[in-house]
Amino acid sequence: MSQFDLHSHSTCSDGLLKPRELIARAAQRGVATLALTDHDDVSGLAEARAAAAQQGIALINGVEISVTWNSHTLHVVGLHVDPENDELATGLRQIRSGRRRRAEAMASSLEQAGIAGSLEGARAHAGNPELVGRTHFARFLVEHGHARDLQSVFRKYLTGDKPGHVPHQWASLEQAVGWIRVSGGMPVLAHPGRYKLDNTQREALLTQFKDLGGAGVEVVTGSHTAQQFTSWGRYARHYGLLASVGSDFHGPGESYRDLGELPALPAGCVPVWEQW
Ligand code: AMP
Ligand code: MN
Ligand code: MN
Ligand code: MN
C-alpha cells in the first residue's frame, strides 16, 4: 500500500465513482494524499476538495491531458494545477470539443459495423456530457453483449483498425506541458510503459518532454508490470526525472489496482513529492 496515489478518475471523466465517493474510498483504504486526474477536465476538483477536507485527505488538483506525439497517443498528468487558470481551461475546452466530434465519428464507425445507437448508449454511461470517451462506448458494448468485459471489448473494438476506432488529433506535447506549467503544475508522463516506442523513440520522447518542461514520469502505475517498475525507475534516474506513483483507478471491478494498492518506488528514484 502507498500513502500516495497520484492518478485517479471520477465520473467527471471515465471513472465510475463521483468525486466524493472516490475520496471516501481513498480515505477508507488509507490513502493520505490523492490526486484526482480526470481526462481533459477539472470539473470534479471542487467536489473532491470539499470531501477531502471532511475525510482528512490531502487532495492534489490534477488532470490527465490527451496528447498526440509523432502519431502516438500519450497522456500527461498535471499535478498541483490551478483549475481556475484561463490558459489551462481554454486548452482543456478545446480538447473536449474535439472529443465531441470524435464520439460522433466513433458512433458512425460502429453503425457501419452493424451496431446502432452507440452515441446515445455511450452518453448514457457518461457522467459528464463534454467527456464522452472510449470507456463509455466500451461500457455500452459490454452492456449490449458485444464483448464479455471491458478488457476484451478493446481487443474487438475501439482500437487499431477495429470498428469504433477513429484516428484523432489531441493536444501537442508542447501545449499540454505548457498549460500545466502556466497553471503552476508539475507535468508527469503517465504510464509510459504502455506506449509502443522503440529505444530511439523513447529516447526522443523523454528528451523532448524534459526540454519542454516535463518534471516526472510514472514509475509505479497500475499499467506497469513489476519489471517495468524497475526499468522505468532506471529511465527516470537516467533522464533526471522525478518518479510518480498512481493506480489509475477508474472504479471497482474496472481497474487492475485499487486506490493506494501500489508498491514502493524502486530504490534511487526521487519521488515527485520531494519537490512540493
Ligand atoms: P479515450 O481517452 O477516450 O481514448 O479513452 C482512453 C481510456 O480508455 C483510458 O483512459 C482507459 O480508461 C480506457 N482504455 C483504453 N484501453 C483500454 C483497455 N485495453 N482496457 C480497458 N480500458 C482501456
Ligand atoms: Mn480512462
Ligand atoms: Mn491514461
Ligand atoms: Mn488515467
Side-chain angles (χ1 to χ4, degrees):
M1 279 295 294
S2 170
Q3 298 218 348
F4 290 90
D5 191 333
L6 306 178
H7 189 150
S8 67
H9 294 275
S10 76
T11 48
C12 294
S13 63
D14 57 358
L16 286 174
L17 303 181
K18 296 190 171 96
R20 71 182 105 92
E21 295 167 336
L22 186 78
I23 296 290
R25 188 181 185 94
Q28 196 197 354
R29 294 186 49 80
V31 173
T33 303
L34 181 81
L36 174 59
T37 55
D38 276 312
H39 296 287
D40 311 317
D41 194 285
V42 290
S43 65
L45 292 171
E47 179 182 318
R49 180 151 303 281
Q54 280 176 357
Q55 304 266 353
I57 278 199
L59 176 81
I60 291 172
N61 288 331
V63 64
E64 181 176 17
I65 302 183
S66 310
V67 163
T68 301
W69 178 81
N70 290 350
S71 73
H72 295 274
T73 298
L74 311 176
H75 288 170
V76 179
V77 160
L79 299 175
H80 290 298
V81 294
D82 172 6
E84 307 291 325
N85 179 272
D86 274 344
E87 277 185 60
L88 175 66
T90 303
L92 297 180
R93 206 174 307 120
Q94 276 166 18
I95 302 183
R96 292 196 301 270
S97 77
R99 273 187 178 276
R100 185 169 354 100
R101 293 190 296 276
R102 182 183 74 144
E104 289 162 5
M106 286 164 70
S108 308
S109 165
L110 287 168
E111 182 103 44
Q112 276 169 29
I115 299 173
S118 67
L119 186 56
E120 298 68 31
R123 280 185 183 142
H125 284 279
N128 177 352
E130 290 188 18
L131 214 295
V132 179
R134 283 188 294 160
T135 310
H136 307 107
F137 280 88
R139 290 183 188 136
F140 160 83
L141 289 166
V142 172
E143 178 189 32
H144 288 267
H146 298 288
R148 194 178 60 250
D149 55 29
L150 216 62
Q151 265 64 45
S152 49
V153 73
F154 282 94
R155 285 195 289 272
K156 282 171 74 182
Y157 302 98
L158 309 171
T159 51
D161 52 9
K162 309 289 169 56
H165 186 249
V166 294
H168 189 71
Q169 188 73 29
W170 302 102
S172 70
L173 186 62
E174 185 173 8
Q175 286 175 318
V177 170
W179 297 330
I180 292 167
R181 280 285 180 201
V182 79
S183 70
M186 174 188 272
V188 173
L189 186 64
H191 42 63
R194 235 161 71 181
Y195 313 132
K196 294 187 173 54
L197 306 170
D198 63 27
N199 290 342
T200 312
Q201 292 168 323
R202 187 183 57 236
E203 156 94 33
L205 170 61
L206 293 177
T207 305
Q208 272 182 39
F209 178 64
K210 179 111 200 238
D211 286 349
L212 290 169
V217 286
E218 288 183 347
V219 170
V220 169
T221 134
S223 299
H224 283 179
T225 62
Q227 238 173 7
Q228 288 174 318
F229 299 157
T230 309
S231 58
W232 281 94
R234 273 203 306 271
Y235 296 132
R237 291 200 300 276
H238 179 78
Y239 289 91
L241 290 161
L242 302 168
S244 192
V245 168
S247 61
D248 206 358
F249 180 74
H250 282 71
E254 279 202 6
S255 287
Y256 183 59
R257 286 181 186 267
D258 208 324
L259 292 167
E261 193 189 334
L262 298 158
L265 282 168
C269 286
V270 183
V272 285
W273 52 86
E274 275 200 11
Q275 289 217 346
W276 295 345

